[in-house]
Amino acid sequence: MTPSHYIDGRWAEGQGNDCIVVHDPASGQPFTELMAASSTQVDQAVAAARRALPAWKTTCAADRARYLRGFAEQLGVRREALIALQMRNNGKPRHEAEIDLDDAIATFAYYAELAEQLPAKNRDVPLAAPGFTARTRLEAIGVVGMIVPWNFPLVTSAWKLAPALAAGCTVVLKPSEVTPVVELAYGQIAEQLGLPAGVLNIVNGKADTGAALSGHTGLDKLSFTGSNGVGSQVMRAAAAQCRPVTLELGGKSAIVVFDDCDIDQAVEWIVAGITWNAGQMCSATSRLLVQDGIADALLARLQAALGQLRVGNPQLEEADMGPLTSQAQWLKVASYFAVAREEGLKCLAGGQTLDREGWFVSPTLYVDVPQSSRLWCEEIFGPVLCARRFGSEAEAIALANDSRFGLVATVCSTDLQRAERVADALEVGHVWINSVQAVFVETSWGGTKASGVGRELGPWGLAGYQSVKHVTQCLG
Ligand code: NAD
């Protein structure tokens, strides 16, 4: 077995009890396996990060920026291997794997720039009171435990690692047991760049490894991306120690299509919003709200477009959509197809698993879905779209906001004043107007309501790893 844990600047084999079997979802066959980290190894990783903290947080920001640029560059050097690995382990079509890699590269480059600007942010504070001076210091929050999911392994980790390292934090990262090999690239790059030992540690494992990390008393912050169920456990672990936490959780996002839109263009955005990464996106726009005037025409074109999508093994054939990434996810999506049948939902496309090897399902469209339906309310995390019609703008806003989640939304309308008005009224963290889900490192990522706590990306992502200190002096 290859060493799959990077602790204190060295590679180690797992000493835990669990064997993690890594699969190719397009065939359902295993392609490698590794032993999970033991709780002692989690302790070692946290202790290494703690030892590395004093030197790393006082390293001049320009030097930290150089390492971050090194990460961006080295991801580029490993381009082909990382694209192939994501295609194999996640089932991503090539163009999606490329975009993920480019996103990770852009994230490290962006936070290198923010790190360079850090000294200028430590500035004097003008005081109204005479006889005093005050200055601000933005300091690293400390040792951060990071737990991430499997759907965008390079990206979710980059969104945490880059700002944390820029801020001067040291980290212990736990990737998902579904995709434990992709993020090992970050350890290999750290080793190649000569990043000081302990600054970046990676421990692989399942839920118990995650729990050992989130409950560890040696951390100063937890940053978690994943499901709401596990997110609330992580939040409880943080609460037990009164420790800050960032949570990026689930979604049930709306795409609102007004009858003045370009229907063909809207269909493209709707399809991308539910089939990218086979719908395994926290930001999947899985609730379609379409205005009465164009509903029949749009749903007919959408049905045709979903039917034409090429679903297949991206490693062997041209595919618009690959398999679901894990058998558990495939079974979960299949269980929602069964619920839809029990609920008597009207299915215009898909609604079934594919009768072939691997974990494939067909892109699915249910229409006139009641608000009480489980499929309307719950995050499915697959290519399953539920549609409803609306009459007025107010009704669209009310329907879109009628969710316990609040991650993102898309608005399609050629009336830009209306689109902006609706965007302002939506209770979410990010809205796209007449756009695919383009994510830029300069804008924030994160949700309202049950979709999370805190923000990643942009300066807000950096602030999540900083502690604000003020030094006030009496001039006597
Ligand atoms: P998950 O919650 O099952 O697992 C996430 C991580 O938590 C994994 O590394 C897992 O090993 C670990 N874990 C499991 N049990 C744990 C425990 N008791 N204590 C600590 N860690 C534990 O989620 P998943 O299935 O990997 O990912 C899918 C979910 O992630 C979806 O709900 C999706 O919406 C969400 N997600 C959110 C965002 C966002 O930015 N909001 C991005 C990607 C994914």
Side-chain angles (χ1 to χ4, degrees), residues 133-137 469-473:
T133 62
R135 64 187 170 88
T136 307
R137 271 176 65 78
K469 179 193 273 184
H470 282 102
V471 181
T472 300
Q473 198 183 133

Side-chain angles (χ1 to χ4, degrees), residues 123-391:
R123 58 169 86 97
D124 291 344
V125 182
L127 301 175
F132 289 89
T133 62
R135 64 187 170 88
T136 307
R137 271 176 65 78
L138 297 175
E139 299 185 343
I141 211 163
V143 177
V144 185
M146 301 175 168
I147 301 174
V148 291
W150 44 264
N151 57 338
F152 294 97
L154 279 182
V155 176
T156 41
S157 299
W159 289 8
K160 296 182 191 307
L161 290 175
L165 297 179
C169 294
T170 57
V171 305
V172 179
L173 171 72
K174 194 204 86 63
S176 165
E177 62 273 33
V178 179
T179 53
V181 283
V182 181
E183 283 119 316
L184 293 180
Y186 290 127
Q188 291 152 4
I189 293 173
E191 187 180 29
Q192 176 161 0
L193 296 176
L195 189 74
V199 170
L200 164 62
N201 305 272
I202 302 173
V203 289
N204 267 302
K206 299 183 183 176
D208 56 347
T209 309
L213 184 58
S214 58
H216 206 288
T217 53
L219 301 177
D220 299 301
K221 168 158 186 161
L222 279 167
S223 179
F224 173 82
T225 300
S227 64
N228 282 67
V230 177
S232 65
Q233 291 181 48
V234 168
M235 198 173 192
R236 266 197 296 276
Q241 297 173 44
C242 297
R243 194 164 58 192
V245 63
T246 296
L247 301 175
E248 297 291 351
L249 306 174
K252 190 73 192 180
S253 299
I255 178 162
V256 184
V257 184
F258 286 94
D259 59 13
D260 59 359
C261 75
D262 172 336
I263 294 187
D264 289 327
Q265 189 61 79
V267 166
E268 255 180 54
W269 295 324
I270 296 164
V271 169
I274 194 64
T275 61
W276 191 268
N277 209 29
Q280 300 164 120
M281 292 188 291
C282 51
S283 59
T285 35
S286 52
R287 293 185 300 143
L288 166 62
L289 298 168
V290 54
Q291 201 163 18
D292 289 329
I294 54 159
D296 289 338
L298 183 133
L299 291 172
R301 281 194 226 178
L302 186 54
Q303 180 184 30
L306 291 173
Q308 281 160 14
L309 279 187
R310 295 164 302 177
V311 180
N313 179 351
Q315 297 166 92
L316 303 178
E317 57 201 301
E318 282 291 311
D320 302 308
M321 196 181 92
L324 297 179
T325 299
S326 71
Q327 189 178 34
Q329 196 55 36
W330 183 73
L331 290 171
K332 181 177 171 196
V333 173
S335 77
Y336 277 101
F337 292 149
V339 172
R341 283 190 288 274
E342 278 160 30
E343 289 184 354
L345 297 188
K346 187 173 170 195
C347 182
L348 282 196
Q352 57 205 3
T353 56
L354 295 191
D355 187 16
R356 55 179 287 177
E357 67 168 6
W359 300 321
F360 292 91
V361 298
S362 45
T364 297
L365 171 61
Y366 296 108
V367 293
D368 301 325
V369 178
Q371 277 172 275
S372 57
S373 165
R374 281 187 55 198
L375 279 85
W376 185 259
C377 303
E378 297 173 13
E379 182 183 50
I380 299 173
F381 224 54
V384 182
L385 180 62
C386 294
R388 281 184 67 84
R389 299 156 196 252
F390 68 88

Side-chain angles (χ1 to χ4, degrees), residues 86-119:
Q86 291 180 91
M87 289 172 71
R88 187 163 193 206
N89 197 176
N90 282 85
K92 287 178 192 275
R94 185 178 179 86
H95 66 282
E96 293 190 20
E98 286 174 349
I99 286 178
D100 281 13
L101 183 75
D102 289 337
D103 185 320
I105 291 172
T107 305
F108 279 99
Y110 172 73
Y111 282 108
E113 236 179 276
L114 290 207
E116 282 157 357
Q117 294 162 14
L118 273 178

